[in-house]
Amino acid sequence: MAAPITARVAPREWRWAALVAALVMALTVAPYLVAYRAQTDEWRFSGFLVAVDDGNSYLAKMGQGARGAWLFRLPYSSEPQAGVFVYSFYLVLGKLAAANTLAGPEHGAQVFAYHAARVVFGFLLLLTAFYFLSHFLAQSSQRFLALILVALGGGLGWLIAPFGVGLPVEFYSPEAFSFLMLFALPHLVAARCLLLLGLLAYLRGRPARAGLALFGVSLIQPLYVLAAWAVIGMDAVVGMVRESRRERNWKARLWTAAWPVLVIVLISAPVVAYTAAAFTLDPVMRVWSAQNVLVSAHPLHYLAGYGVLLALAVPGWRVLRRQQPRLARFVLVWALLVPLMVYAPIATQRRFIEGFYVAPVAVAVLGLTAAPARWQRVLTPVTFAVLLPSTAVLLAGAWGGAQQLRPPIFLPADQVVVFDWLRANAPPDSVGLSAFETGNALPAHTPLTAYIGHGPETVRAEEKLARVVRFYQAATPQAERLQLLSEGHITYVLWGPPERALGDFDPGTTGDLRLAFQSGAYAVYEVLGGSQGEERDNRP
């Protein structure tokens, strides 16, 4: 095995890195505070400024944890579910939110805990990234340039977006860059933090620590562990081949290269193996997995995102190879594997680029600062001028959304009142039928399962959506409605403007539904008869 890498970071550098990290995370908090202050008596802030549908699903998972669950069940599917041990990050976070008595009612406590976790783990990620970068970059100025790019950098998406060639990758793929993750996704931030620590531990010759860090990653996002295994394994193979020139005993070479990888895989494998089995054997999870499609962007979009960094990384890699050949080999292996991983024939292929962004930033800064001084004075501001605007666009969009009182970022206050009533009065394991957009918010505010409400997490979503649309149309036979209520284990039917937009059916005109609560234009009807008494699953 090659000699472990090392790095020294002075206390003064840590203090400055902490200040940069704090300022970046404060920047991510500001638009949320604007949205919170923009609330009125008629409109309430959902807690999210981007990907509100996914944000609501995370709150729904936190709600399950707050109510004592350790096994996750799809909050947007009413099929019988045994539960699986996934999304433990949000289940635990929900338990912490339930113990918080300072943040108001349940939904408010969950939103507060969500963003508190985002800020804390974002701060830790930036410090971890700084430490990772310090192994590549010896000078303080280099390290801080790289840290700013890791935190705020993007690609040329801001430049190509106006031409209508598709959504730039930095605007929707948190794995590809950092800012979107720091702004919105605490679980992915925590996973990247552990991933970088695991890769560093491997490079520093500490396989047991690397395995433990990747075990932590597996509790949050098991797919990232597969990417780490691929990079570590290939790096070990390349290292073994290189060492063959000096060591004639091939068995000794093989063992020297293989034992750290075996230690890492054995320690980090249990949750990965369990998750693979659960998503294969559990019928509901199998359908969810098939629906959870995250296709990688077109190669030209990745080129637009990473092209500037890669251009600077070519001379930077040559410098790195002279200074630290061990790191140069690792980065090259990672860079060559990324295209193969992100276009692997699986539904969630885009996940496999996770963490890679930090490496080309480090090598690019090395190339930038290795240029002659007269070139540095030009290249440095130009690099920042082309790589920071995408983040500025994201922030500007979030800032604008924070001041526009409309769904899904804001919810009508009467709808929230109905949700509050359901949270206080609905029996355990109740199921709500509604329009898709109402269903998305329903489990985030209440303990109810939504019949529909989230693309991947609603099993057979398209089929169910068609049935819901027919339910809210007056011409639909009542027998068809009753069949849906029975098969979907529906307990409550919601009725508000989103549902009226689907059709002209009035739930108050049938004897199978009873008005349970109403606030303004929003009402909830209780299903009478046998459907509400059926057992949906084997929950304790």
Side-chain angles (χ1 to χ4, degrees):
M1 186 175 179
I5 64 169
T6 58
R8 291 187 177 182
V9 181
R12 181 173 178 272
E13 289 182 282
W14 280 118
R15 289 192 291 270
W16 278 105
L19 177 60
V20 171
L23 290 175
V24 169
M25 295 316 298
L27 183 65
T28 70
V29 169
Y32 292 100
L33 295 179
V34 171
Y36 182 79
R37 290 179 59 86
Q39 295 181 110
T40 66
D41 292 338
E42 291 78 29
W43 293 95
R44 311 307 296 169
F45 179 42
S46 68
F48 305 100
L49 293 171
V50 296
V52 178
D53 55 343
D54 286 336
N56 283 329
S57 78
Y58 299 139
L59 291 189
K61 296 168 178 67
M62 290 175 63
Q64 292 184 11
R67 292 185 291 274
W70 284 103
L71 298 179
F72 167 72
R73 297 174 178 84
L74 292 176
Y76 297 99
S77 291
S78 60
E79 286 79 2
Q81 301 177 53
V84 293
F85 185 69
V86 296
Y87 283 114
S88 55
F89 179 92
Y90 285 114
L91 295 176
V92 172
L93 188 58
K95 296 177 188 299
L96 295 176
N100 179 10
T101 60
L102 300 178
E106 183 180 0
H107 180 265
Q110 290 173 354
V111 170
F112 178 84
Y114 183 96
H115 287 292
R118 181 181 62 78
V119 171
V120 169
F121 284 111
F123 179 82
L124 293 176
L125 171 60
L126 292 176
L127 292 185
T128 301
F130 182 76
Y131 188 52
F132 188 93
L133 294 165
S134 298
H135 289 76
F136 293 78
L137 306 167
Q139 301 175 19
S140 295
S141 59
Q142 295 174 322
R143 295 171 178 180
F144 284 103
L145 284 176
L147 179 61
I148 293 171
L149 286 177
V150 166
L152 301 176
L156 299 179
W158 62 276
L159 190 60
I160 66 174
F163 295 98
V165 294
L167 190 64
V169 67
E170 60 261 49
F171 291 168
Y172 71 89
S173 177
E175 299 87 2
F177 294 89
S178 297
F179 185 77
L180 184 58
M181 182 182 291
L182 294 168
F183 187 70
L185 298 161
H187 68 297
L188 297 187
V189 170
R192 181 177 292 185
C193 187
L194 290 169
L195 177 66
L196 292 179
L197 289 174
L199 295 177
L200 269 183
Y202 162 71
L203 291 169
R204 292 171 66 89
R206 297 168 180 172
R209 293 187 183 182
L212 289 173
L214 293 182
F215 178 80
V217 175
S218 73
L219 294 172
I220 305 171
Q221 182 50 270
L223 279 174
Y224 293 173
V225 180
L226 298 181
W229 287 352
V231 175
I232 290 171
M234 185 56 67
D235 179 72
V237 169
V238 173
M240 182 185 70
V241 172
R242 290 179 61 86
E243 292 293 326
S244 64
R245 301 174 184 175
R246 287 177 264 181
E247 175 61 66
R248 294 184 178 180
N249 187 339
W250 69 269
K251 291 184 179 179
R253 293 198 312 270
L254 179 61
W255 175 245
T256 300
W259 77 263
V261 179
L262 289 174
V263 169
I264 291 170
V265 171
L266 287 174
I267 293 175
S268 57
V271 176
V272 177
Y274 164 81
T275 304
F279 278 74
T280 301
L281 300 175
D282 187 293
V284 175
M285 293 297 126
R286 186 165 60 245
V287 175
W288 173 34
S289 180
Q291 294 179 167
N292 189 29
V293 178
L294 298 170
V295 179
S296 294
H298 189 279
L300 292 179
H301 278 286
Y302 283 118
L303 183 61
Y306 285 85
V308 174
L309 290 177
L310 293 178
L312 293 170
V314 171
W317 187 82
R318 293 173 182 157
V319 174
L320 186 65
R321 186 173 61 173
R322 292 195 301 268
Q323 296 178 350
Q324 300 194 72
R326 175 72 181 86
L327 277 178
R329 184 187 84 200
F330 182 79
V331 169
L332 182 61
V333 166
W334 199 355
L336 293 177
L337 277 177
V338 161
L340 300 178
M341 292 191 294
V342 298
Y343 295 109
I346 64 171
T348 52
Q349 55 186 204
R350 90 171 187 220
R351 297 281 193 206
F352 288 115
I353 202 170
E354 170 55 39
F356 174 67
Y357 177 62
V358 182
V361 165
V363 183
V365 169
L366 194 60
L368 183 65
T369 55
R374 65 179 184 276
W375 284 104
Q376 287 187 44
R377 287 193 289 270
V378 175
L379 287 176
T380 300
V382 168
T383 299
F384 278 81
V386 298
L387 295 185
L388 297 187
S390 285
T391 295
V393 170
L394 280 171
L395 269 176
W399 205 280
Q403 302 175 74
Q404 297 180 22
L405 303 178
R406 62 187 185 190
I409 292 176
F410 291 87
L411 298 178
D414 285 331
Q415 186 179 43
V416 174
V417 171
V418 168
F419 288 159
D420 289 342
W421 183 89
L422 285 168
R423 186 176 68 246
N425 295 277
D429 302 332
S430 297
V431 179
L433 181 72
S434 67
F436 192 92
E437 52 267 42
T438 304
N440 180 253
L442 182 65
H445 290 258
T446 76
L448 272 70
T449 296
Y451 181 71
I452 59 171
H454 192 273
E457 293 188 20
T458 296
V459 173
R460 298 184 300 275
E462 292 185 5
E463 172 191 326
K464 289 181 177 179
L465 179 58
R467 296 187 71 183
V468 170
V469 170
R470 285 188 54 80
F471 180 93
Y472 284 102
Q473 293 175 353
T476 300
Q478 184 65 6
E480 183 177 335
R481 291 196 189 90
L482 294 177
Q483 183 180 10
L484 173 57
L485 295 175
S486 176
E487 293 177 353
H489 312 286
I490 309 299
T491 316
Y492 293 100
V493 173
L494 284 84
W495 197 48
E499 289 71 34
R500 293 186 184 92
L502 299 180
D504 52 357
F505 168 65
D506 183 352
T509 61
T510 172
D512 298 297
L513 301 173
R514 179 182 65 84
L515 179 64
F517 183 77
Q518 184 170 6
S519 179
Y522 294 83
V524 57
Y525 287 81
E526 183 180 2
V527 178
L528 304 178
S531 64
Q532 61 183 326
E534 298 177 9
E535 291 293 331
R536 281 201 307 120
D537 54 36
N538 59 352
R539 301 184 190 185

